[in-house]
Structure formats: structure tokens, C-alpha cells
Amino acid sequence: MELDLRIGSSYTRSLTLNVGNIIKQRMQSDDKQILSYGSCQFPTLGFVVERYFRVRKFVPETFWSIKVMHKKDDINVSFRWARGHLFDRLVAVILFERCLTAKTARVTKMQTKPTSKWKPLPLTTVELQKCGSRFLRMDSQRVMQLAEQLYQKGWISYPRTETDQFDRAIDLRALIQKQTQGQTPWTAFAGGLLNGEFSNPRQGRSNDKAHPPIHPVNFVSPEILTAEEQRVHEFIVRRFLACCAKDAQGSKTDVSILYGPETFNTSGLIVLERNYLDVYPYDKWTSSQDLPNYREGDIFEPTEARIEDGKTSPPTYLTEPELIGLMDANGIGTDATMAEHIAKIKERQYVQTQVRGAALRRDDQDAESDFEDVAGRTAPPARGRGRGRGRGGRGGAQRGAPQNQGMQEFIPTTLGVALVEGYDNMGLETSLSKPFLRKEMELKMKAICEGRMTRREVVQESLDQYRDVYIRAQRQLPVLHAVRTRSS
């Protein structure tokens, strides 16, 4: 806390006095523009800006792939090329011609084996925030506010925890029993768990030794809760019940064929027992294409074979679950403060949010219009999503992934980009927009807990490190002014 206060206040004062006044003059406003700095806040902004530039600088590449179809027993089977795709058209065409020359394909593998989809791990704070954004379409700060309200009212356990394993001393069946009351959508499922369908929850890797995973502690009728509280409470209850259920079970069939010199694969899934999926609709696992009865050694002539071209797709702007995941992986903030850091960069107008795909629908001519037409797509990067044209067959349709109209994504503002670019252009040995300084500080604080360093040593070393960066940055403030002037 001492480090955050001393470092944050010094950098914030410098930014506000040296850059805030420029903004005030250019906007001809009397309002005070506070430009805050935090050792967690700036790396959080850095993640958003870094992805922004990846989108902006993306250059699509053309690729080619081979697609094989076979109709058997009135079932159309699509085989995927084992190579995926190639970026060399000539090589792809040569391999395609060799396939056509062979005329027939031979089944080299036919295997059916049981498979399962694991139930989710017990719920942590970070996972609650990520799932709240992904499934409930709420920002992480609002999810935590609602979880705090539910906790204070006595309906759920303490919502700030890193633990993803239940202690064996906790009577899980007693907690499940409470959810059999009333007429909720999960009442019958909870009853089934008590009648032989119970399975011990998975054990995660984290245990903060302070609080158990987030779970319901009492039954509450949904009518008592507000609409937003209902949604968060329902997710927590369903997650808990799913943890206590059995994994989903299925049967997977894999088929491989050799067509000329090339291998092609296909697979089919049949879901046999949904189990936890019946109470946890946030996971999707459904039966896929039916496969006819192939046997190893079978020889057949493909119904259709064609070569397709497509283009790699750009990365997408960061969503809140992705941003939280990056913060967690890089030690930026704690499970209790990540939402606050994200809210702060929005409050300071360093970033803004938009519904994913909104850039595709905009037709304005602002400074971002040159690249936002591709940035809003939701297809995964470099996966071969794109438009294909057939050769030797009927051709293919566009295969883009469906857009998620509700997911919010982060776009840095001109101010946010200018701050990150300005500090990066100073050529500092340790970038303020990267997570390294903060991560090193966190490791030092862990060393205090383990008795390898003292508090005084950590405070002094960290202050010396940040002081050196501060002095260097002060000497190069004209660089920051220049970037801000170009961006205005």
C-alpha cells in the first residue's frame, strides 16, 4: 500500500501537471483533467493498446487447403486435410493433383472410444469475473458489487478467494440439500445429486488457506432478489451444483483416410450422458455429424475433392475475460482489485468499450475507420476463416464464425494510445506499460512472506527502481508532449 501510494501519487502528479494542462488548453475547458498512473493501472492499459496495434498492423495472408467429401449411406462426410492449409499455392496445387491422380482413398484408421467433458472447477473470484462478462454480459466491477451484496445478505460465501478446491471438512451434501427447496430451475437437479448422482468436485491447484471457493450457503427464492442479483446468484448456484455432478460422457469416432500421398481426418461425437451439462448451460457439448460405418482397409472414390483458398483473419480487440486472464497470468492486481483497475482506465478515459462487431456496422470516417472494418470480426486469428473458392468441385461458402453481439471489447482512446506510445518512445530500459516492474514488485513482496527479504529492503529497492525510471521520464517529457500533440 505504501509503495502504491508513493509511486502512484508521484507519477500521477507529473502526468496531470505536464500533460493534463495541454489537454485542457486544446479542449478549451476549465475542467481539471486528472491523468493517473498506477503500477497495475498502466500495464492494464498496455495490454489493451498492444492488442489494438496488433489489429491495426495486421496484414492478411492467402492460404490454400484441400477439402474432400464422401457420401455413404446417405450421409455426407467432410474430411479435413491433415496439413490444415499451406501458404504456398504451387505446392498445394501439386499435392491436390496427386490426390486426383490416385482417384481412390483408403481408410487407414477407424477408432471409436469413450470420451468425456470435464465439469468445471470450483469457482474463484477471477473466474467469476471472467464468466460474468462472458455469460452474463456484465462488467467485472458490477459482477463483484452484486456478489458482495449476495454475500452480505447471507446467500453466498465470501466472493473474494483464489481457492479452487473444497476442503474435505465441508459438508457439500448439506449445501446441496438447501437447493432442493422451492421451485427453481435447478431444484430437481439438486435432488438428483442427493439420490446417487453426486460426484466429488475436481481439485484445482490453488488454495489461499483463507476462504473456500464461492458457493451458495443458503436457499433464497429468486423473487426476493433484484433482476441482476438473480442472474449472478443463479450462475453461482448452477456452478456449484455442476461441480458436484458427474462429468458428461460421450463416444467419439475418429476416421483417417489416405488419398494419394495426403492424409485426411474426420470425427464424430455422440453425447451419451449429459450429467453436469443439464444444470450448467454455459458449457456447450453437443453431438456432431453422424458417421457411416467405415472399416480399416475400405477403399472408396471421394464424391468431391477441391482446393480452396482463404485469408487469415485478424485478431480481435481484447474482451474483458481476455484482459482479466492477461492480468492474472502476469500478476497485475489481485483477484479483489482487477475489476477496479479496469474500471479506473475507463474512468480516466484511457479506454472505451463497444459491442464486439460494432466496428463493422460503423460507416464514419474517423481516424480509426481504416482498420476497424476488419478489427470487429470474431473469427479466431490465423485459423483459415475466410472466403473459399473451389477447384475441381462446386466451391465453398464463406466460413466466418458467428458474431457475438453481446460481448464487450476494449478500444484505447487517443489519450490512452498517446500515453503508452509516449513512454515507449522514451526508450526506457523498463517500460511502464509492460507488466515487468509490477511483477518484480510482487515477487519481492512474496519474498517478505517467505522470510527471504525484509519490508524495508523491498520498499527501498522498489522506490529506487521507480525513482530511476521517473527521473529518466522527466528528462524526456518533450517526447510525451510530441506524441500527444500528433494524436490530438
Side-chain angles (χ1 to χ4, degrees):
M1 186 177 293
E2 177 185 348
L3 286 172
D4 288 340
L5 176 60
R6 294 176 66 176
I7 294 169
S9 60
S10 298
Y11 278 84
T12 296
R13 184 175 184 275
S14 174
L15 273 175
T16 301
L17 293 178
N18 290 287
V19 182
N21 288 334
I22 296 177
I23 298 175
K24 180 179 177 181
Q25 292 170 8
R26 291 186 174 276
M27 296 180 65
Q28 297 181 345
S29 171
D30 293 330
D31 295 336
K32 291 184 178 180
Q33 177 77 23
I34 298 177
L35 302 182
S36 62
Y37 170 87
S39 57
C40 290
Q41 182 188 136
F42 248 53
T44 302
L45 171 62
F47 290 133
V48 176
V49 174
E50 182 180 18
R51 178 65 67 87
Y52 167 85
F53 280 118
R54 282 182 57 196
V55 174
R56 184 174 185 178
K57 296 175 181 178
F58 177 81
V59 178
E61 293 184 79
T62 303
F63 63 82
W64 290 265
S65 62
I66 301 173
K67 184 176 182 179
V68 173
M69 301 286 292
H70 181 229
K71 186 174 183 179
K72 181 178 181 181
D73 301 335
D74 292 326
I75 300 174
N76 289 313
V77 183
S78 176
F79 289 90
R80 303 179 303 276
W81 195 16
R83 295 179 187 268
H85 55 255
L86 297 177
F87 292 96
D88 190 318
R89 181 179 182 278
L90 179 59
V91 174
V93 170
I94 290 174
L95 294 175
F96 176 65
E97 296 292 352
R98 289 179 180 177
C99 292
L100 294 181
T101 301
K103 293 186 179 179
T104 60
R106 177 171 57 87
V107 178
T108 58
K109 174 186 174 183
M110 172 66 182
Q111 183 181 58
T112 299
K113 58 183 179 182
T115 186
S116 61
K117 183 172 178 62
W118 290 353
K119 59 191 178 183
L121 285 167
L123 189 60
T124 64
T125 302
V126 170
E127 188 67 12
L128 174 61
Q129 293 175 76
K130 291 163 66 176
C131 290
S133 178
R134 181 179 294 117
F135 302 129
L136 307 182
R137 299 295 184 258
M138 296 181 183
D139 65 56
S140 56
Q141 187 178 42
R142 184 57 181 157
V143 170
M144 291 309 300
Q145 289 172 349
L146 293 167
E148 288 282 359
Q149 293 174 19
L150 292 171
Y151 165 69
Q152 292 168 2
K153 294 176 181 178
W155 307 130
I156 66 171
S157 62
Y158 189 61
R160 298 184 184 277
T161 176
E162 299 176 5
T163 302
D164 57 5
Q165 50 186 249
F166 281 104
D167 190 279
R168 294 184 178 180
I170 297 178
D171 190 346
L172 298 177
R173 286 182 172 83
L175 295 173
I176 296 172
Q177 176 69 48
K178 294 179 180 180
Q179 300 305 319
T180 61
Q181 305 175 50
Q183 297 295 322
T184 64
W186 55 83
T187 300
F189 188 88
L193 292 180
L194 297 176
N195 291 323
E197 296 302 315
F198 175 85
S199 176
N200 285 320
R202 294 167 57 195
Q203 292 287 93
R205 298 181 179 180
S206 300
N207 191 336
D208 60 17
K209 305 296 184 181
H211 304 286
I214 305 169
H215 63 277
V217 295
N218 282 303
F219 173 80
V220 56
S221 178
E223 292 78 16
I224 298 177
L225 306 175
T226 66
E228 287 188 317
E229 287 177 337
Q230 285 181 28
R231 293 166 63 198
V232 174
H233 176 263
E234 179 175 348
F235 173 79
I236 293 172
V237 174
R238 287 183 179 274
R239 177 70 172 239
F240 170 69
L241 296 177
C243 290
C244 298
K246 297 177 181 178
D247 295 335
Q249 302 295 325
S251 175
K252 184 180 181 182
T253 299
D254 295 308
V255 180
S256 297
I257 63 171
L258 189 65
Y259 186 30
E262 297 302 301
T263 298
F264 297 82
N265 305 307
T266 191
S267 62
L269 171 69
I270 299 176
V271 178
L272 302 175
E273 298 177 20
R274 288 180 52 81
N275 296 330
Y276 88 89
L277 292 171
D278 285 333
V279 77
Y280 197 71
Y282 314 101
D283 277 358
K284 305 299 180 185
W285 201 51
T286 57
S287 298
S288 60
Q289 65 173 341
D290 292 327
L291 292 180
N293 185 25
Y294 288 105
R295 292 180 297 180
E296 288 189 20
D298 282 355
I299 297 176
F300 61 86
E301 184 174 349
T303 307
E304 181 183 2
R306 64 173 182 260
I307 187 170
E308 296 183 337
D309 69 346
K311 290 184 180 295
T312 54
S313 299
T316 57
Y317 292 128
L318 276 182
T319 63
E320 190 160 26
E322 292 172 333
L323 180 55
I324 292 173
L326 285 172
M327 296 171 70
D328 186 40
N330 288 277
I332 301 302
T334 65
D335 55 352
T337 62
M338 289 180 187
E340 297 174 11
H341 299 315
I342 294 174
K344 183 60 68 175
I345 63 174
K346 291 163 66 176
E347 178 187 337
R348 294 291 185 237
Q349 299 178 23
Y350 297 163
V351 303
Q352 58 188 9
T353 59
Q354 68 177 22
V355 176
R356 170 161 284 183
L360 283 174
R361 298 188 295 273
R362 283 209 298 262
D363 194 33
D364 52 42
Q365 298 297 320
D366 60 18
E368 298 171 351
S369 62
D370 292 339
F371 51 89
E372 282 188 345
D373 58 332
V374 295
R377 297 179 191 169
T378 60
R383 288 283 187 87
R385 302 290 183 183
R387 190 161 46 208
R389 292 191 296 273
R391 182 175 184 269
R394 291 192 300 272
Q398 186 168 344
R399 297 178 292 161
Q403 291 185 355
N404 189 339
Q405 297 298 324
M407 183 68 73
Q408 295 288 319
E409 57 188 8
F410 289 91
I411 314 292
T413 62
T414 303
L415 174 60
V417 172
L419 289 174
V420 171
E421 270 198 316
Y423 279 111
D424 286 350
N425 290 348
M426 290 180 182
L428 302 173
E429 292 181 6
T430 305
S431 173
L432 293 175
S433 65
K434 302 298 182 184
F436 310 125
L437 271 176
R438 180 66 193 195
K439 196 168 189 177
E440 187 175 342
M441 186 192 297
E442 293 288 347
L443 291 174
K444 290 177 181 177
M445 287 189 281
K446 185 177 180 181
I448 296 177
C449 299
E450 296 172 351
R452 293 185 287 109
M453 294 185 73
T454 66
R455 173 184 175 276
R456 182 184 296 274
E457 290 173 337
V458 170
V459 170
Q460 193 59 50
E461 283 188 17
S462 297
L463 287 178
D464 289 344
Q465 195 171 25
Y466 273 93
R467 184 183 295 111
D468 181 61
V469 175
Y470 178 85
I471 293 173
R472 291 172 182 268
Q474 287 294 104
R475 292 171 181 167
Q476 300 190 61
L477 278 175
V479 176
L480 189 61
H481 292 168
V483 173
R484 179 60 198 152
T485 301
R486 292 198 307 269
S487 302
S488 296

